[in-house]
Amino acid sequence: MAYTAKFKVWRGDAESGGLHDFDVEVNEGEVVLDIIHRLQATQAPDLAVRWNCKAGKCGSCSAEINGRPRLLCMTRMSTFTEDEVVTVTPMRTFPVIRDLVTDVSFNYTKAREIPSFTPPKDLQPGEYRMQQVDVERSQEFRKCIECFLCQNTCHVVRDHEENKEAFAGPRYLMRIAELEMHPLDTADRVRPAQDEHGLGFCNITKCCTEVCPEHIKITDNALIPMKERVADRKYDPIVWLGNKLFRR
Amino acid sequence: MKSGVGAPTRARIPDKTLRTDRWWLPPLLTNLGLAAFVVYATIRSFWGSAYWVPEHGYLTPFYSPCLSESCLPGSSHFGTPLPELPGWIPLGFLALPFLLGFRLTCYYYRKAYYRSVWQSPTACAVAEPHDRYTGETRFPLIIQNAHRYFFYVAFLISIINTYDAILALTHGLGLGGIILLVNVTLLWAYTLSCHSCRHIAGGRLKHFSKHPVRYRLWTLISKLNVRHMQLAWTTLATLVITDLYVMLVASGVISDLRIIS
Ligand code: SF4
Ligand code: SF4
Ligand code: FES
């Protein structure tokens, strides 16, 4: 059944901005992105919003709905009561460009800082052979749609602008884990994870996992295993001695 | 708020969060739960009596292993290599610091108390109250990396607790014996579901295919590991229940429900 919902949408740019009130029609089966589109079509033609697939697969429509980082296209209106005010703001960790659109280039910078897949030197493309069980673990991380909701929610940078320099964020620490667990990758990922990409900043409070729309167990399967590998390498005298003696 | 969500380039929103759900409730419950356990465990550790039921062989896990001459006759399952202790030293003083350390450095408890006690962050997308944040990059929190060592000791203590429970069964079967057994089973589940254990068992391998046994082990531990939080809380509860039961029986407030004597 159609009803009129109360919306508060953040509008503005880097200099100023605020929440604007709207009364807008909602029909059965709609998602928040539909309502934003209706606002564009009827009341706010210049409202800026980024989106592409409307299927939760392109990772473009990340925003915050009632304070929770989510995809606009995957948040059903049926999760709200009819008299609930729905507040939509841009992601609050990245510089805002306009309205709901933020500048996410922080993430591209972080992506470039990670050395790419490094197969053994003597192995030609086409000669890669690996067992399914060996690649399985890192395959989970490849479900990532790069929506950057985890990067946005992580308090290390969300609450501390000054940490952006030193901290790659959950998505890119997970990328390091993916390569580290890859059976054919030969690069040293462990020491740099801690020393250059800021793994130690993460205090495993799991907000990245909580918001990931792909339900990747970022903390349990990528970050904690990386912390354990760092402990092997840097903080565990017995493993260190074992590696020296037996040259594993 | 100047440095975080209030930083100059970001969308100008004065609120520290716009969340409308009860995000403050889980950290509050965590604080209450942890505080209740800490108070109970501290009182009982220093209590110094009502920890051993000689006729049924019940020893509370808070006093195990009991290795000094101050221990009640029969409660020292591994002899008394230590002399009498002054009253202010808990009789379980050898195991307790390691068990505390195991839980303090546990990846789940870290999450729990970083959120609830330290409020870093209190809840997701709620601005934290601290101006600066360095996480686990430096002293003292860098010590969290020693978690595996606490795991090794906790593993040994679980063996001792198992021995205690089995010893109680040699006195026949009572409700207390069942409680000890359930407690130790859950303690094993908590200990084995540890993230460090998962890593040691197989997680650190790059090629599972070359180590089928460790891969199998890793798969099993991974299944337990997803329940690590539930096990962390359940074992706090079973520890209290077990100790309380032993205390009540030992002090004669209730008598043990015997099934086979
Ligand atoms: S678990 Fe670590 S990376 Fe993920 S949100 Fe928390 S601090 Fe950030
Ligand atoms: S890990 Fe999840 S939350 Fe993070 S960018 Fe990828 S899909 Fe988005
Ligand atoms: S529009 Fe593609 S993920 Fe929402």
Side-chain angles (χ1 to χ4, degrees):
Chain A
M1 280 303 290
Y3 70 98
T4 304
K6 292 212 174 312
F7 262 67
K8 279 184 188 296
V9 181
W10 193 89
R11 302 210 57 188
D13 52 28
E15 267 68 58
S16 64
L19 291 169
H20 291 229
D21 290 310
F22 296 97
D23 289 330
V24 53
E25 183 190 322
V26 174
N27 301 304
E28 203 169 326
E30 286 182 329
V31 294
V32 175
L33 185 59
D34 290 316
I35 312 307
I36 298 293
H37 283 159
R38 182 160 302 122
L39 287 177
Q40 274 182 333
T42 57
Q43 307 178 39
D46 59 343
L47 175 66
V49 60
R50 198 185 269 134
W51 68 286
N52 261 291
C53 69
K54 208 170 168 276
K57 284 293 165 233
C58 74
S60 307
C61 64
S62 305
E64 301 190 9
I65 303 166
N66 284 353
R68 307 183 75 149
R70 330 235 348 208
L71 295 176
L72 292 172
C73 74
M74 294 305 280
T75 307
R76 294 180 170 278
M77 283 306 296
S78 58
T79 55
F80 308 106
T81 56
E82 293 194 2
D83 49 8
E84 196 171 347
V85 182
V86 180
T87 307
V88 185
T89 70
M91 291 191 279
R92 294 180 68 184
T93 298
F94 310 122
V96 67
I97 297 175
R98 204 161 75 88
D99 302 342
L100 300 178
V101 178
T102 52
D103 173 2
V104 292
S105 52
F106 162 75
N107 303 289
Y108 304 133
T109 311
K110 294 297 166 185
R112 276 192 296 271
E113 284 167 5
I114 298 167
S116 53
F117 174 60
T118 317
K121 280 207 174 55
D122 49 350
L123 210 60
Q124 301 305 315
E127 293 178 350
Y128 295 177
R129 296 290 177 273
M130 46 204 141
Q131 303 278 322
Q132 177 58 28
V133 288
D134 293 343
V135 278
E136 232 155 37
R137 230 183 336 172
S138 50
Q139 271 171 349
E140 177 190 8
F141 311 143
R142 299 199 66 94
K143 291 193 300 186
C144 172
I145 59 170
E146 305 234 288
C147 63
F148 306 135
L149 283 173
C150 56
Q151 302 281 93
N152 168 57
T153 315
C154 179
H155 70 116
V156 176
V157 285
R158 184 182 178 95
D159 295 337
H160 305 278
E161 182 76 24
E162 67 282 4
N163 288 342
K164 279 187 177 169
E165 185 79 30
F167 184 62
R171 197 272 165 262
Y172 294 102
L173 292 169
M174 176 175 90
R175 169 72 178 149
I176 296 174
E178 178 194 329
L179 291 165
E180 163 62 24
M181 292 173 189
H182 193 290
L184 286 183
D185 189 77
T186 58
D188 180 14
R189 310 275 174 189
V190 175
R191 234 170 232 286
Q194 183 84 345
D195 299 343
E196 293 158 36
H197 305 284
L199 179 62
F201 279 93
C202 164
N203 66 353
I204 53 168
T205 36
K206 288 199 173 174
C207 288
C208 48
T209 308
E210 237 173 72
V211 299
C212 177
E214 284 294 310
H215 306 291
I216 304 172
K217 299 279 175 282
I218 307 170
T219 320
D220 283 352
N221 290 346
L223 305 179
I224 293 177
M226 280 313 287
K227 278 187 176 256
E228 285 293 314
R229 281 161 200 243
V230 169
D232 276 352
R233 193 73 66 84
K234 291 185 66 142
Y235 307 114
D236 188 333
I238 293 182
V239 173
W240 177 83
L241 199 69
N243 286 343
K244 276 263 173 282
L245 293 178
F246 305 111
R247 290 240 153 256
R248 280 196 298 190
Chain B
M1 279 265 300
K2 281 230 172 48
S3 100
V5 285
T9 55
R10 309 195 191 180
R12 302 284 155 100
I13 300 166
D15 315 64
K16 74 170 183 173
T17 184
L18 290 170
R19 280 181 68 164
T20 51
D21 56 335
R22 282 184 292 173
W23 53 265
W24 43 267
L25 189 60
L28 182 67
L29 294 178
T30 306
N31 272 336
L32 292 175
L34 292 179
F37 182 81
V38 167
V39 169
Y40 181 88
T42 312
I43 294 177
R44 273 299 283 159
S45 301
F46 287 93
W47 194 279
S49 63
Y51 57 87
W52 165 245
V53 183
E55 55 276 34
H56 308 314
Y58 299 158
L59 177 67
T60 164
F62 285 77
Y63 286 73
S64 174
C66 208
L67 295 175
S68 83
E69 278 165 12
S70 316
C71 300
L72 289 172
S75 65
S76 311
H77 300 157
F78 305 93
T80 53
L82 301 171
E84 253 184 57
L85 296 173
W88 50 270
I89 297 184
L91 292 172
F93 80 102
L94 275 175
L96 291 175
F98 290 100
L99 292 177
L100 179 69
F102 182 48
R103 298 213 178 216
L104 273 181
T105 58
C106 159
Y107 285 95
Y108 166 69
Y109 284 105
R110 269 145 82 182
K111 175 204 162 188
Y113 65 74
Y114 283 145
R115 280 202 191 192
S116 60
V117 179
W118 194 242
Q119 312 234 331
S120 174
T122 326
C124 304
V126 176
E128 61 180 49
H130 310 282
D131 285 338
R132 269 167 43 79
Y133 173 86
T134 51
E136 299 182 339
T137 54
R138 57 175 74 175
F139 187 81
L141 291 183
I142 204 158
I143 297 175
Q144 307 280 29
N145 286 300
H147 184 52
R148 56 187 59 185
Y149 284 96
F150 289 106
F151 163 74
Y152 298 140
V153 181
F155 190 94
L156 295 177
I157 296 172
S158 295
I159 296 178
I160 294 175
N161 292 154
T162 312
Y163 183 82
D164 294 343
I166 292 174
L167 211 72
L169 292 183
T170 62
H171 292 70
L173 185 65
L175 179 57
I178 296 175
I179 292 179
L180 283 176
L181 216 55
V182 169
N183 177 55
V184 83
T185 309
L186 287 163
L187 283 181
W188 271 116
Y190 169 69
T191 309
L192 293 176
S193 66
C194 158
H195 287 270
S196 288
C197 173
R198 186 183 183 217
H199 174 75
I200 294 160
R204 64 154 63 100
L205 299 171
K206 201 164 178 123
H207 300 275
F208 281 152
S209 55
K210 291 188 190 147
H211 306 266
V213 178
R214 287 180 73 184
Y215 174 56
R216 182 94 191 99
L217 210 57
W218 177 84
T219 316
L220 291 173
I221 292 174
S222 299
K223 284 197 185 118
L224 269 184
N225 178 262
V226 290
R227 303 255 171 281
H228 199 48
M229 172 180 102
Q230 287 85 337
L231 288 166
W233 284 106
T234 320
T235 49
L236 286 192
T238 57
L239 278 169
V240 169
I241 293 169
T242 310
D243 178 75
L244 197 65
Y245 189 85
V246 172
M247 178 178 84
L248 293 177
V249 175
S251 54
V253 177
I254 58 170
S255 57
D256 186 35
L257 186 74
R258 300 306 287 175
I259 299 162
I260 308 166
S261 27

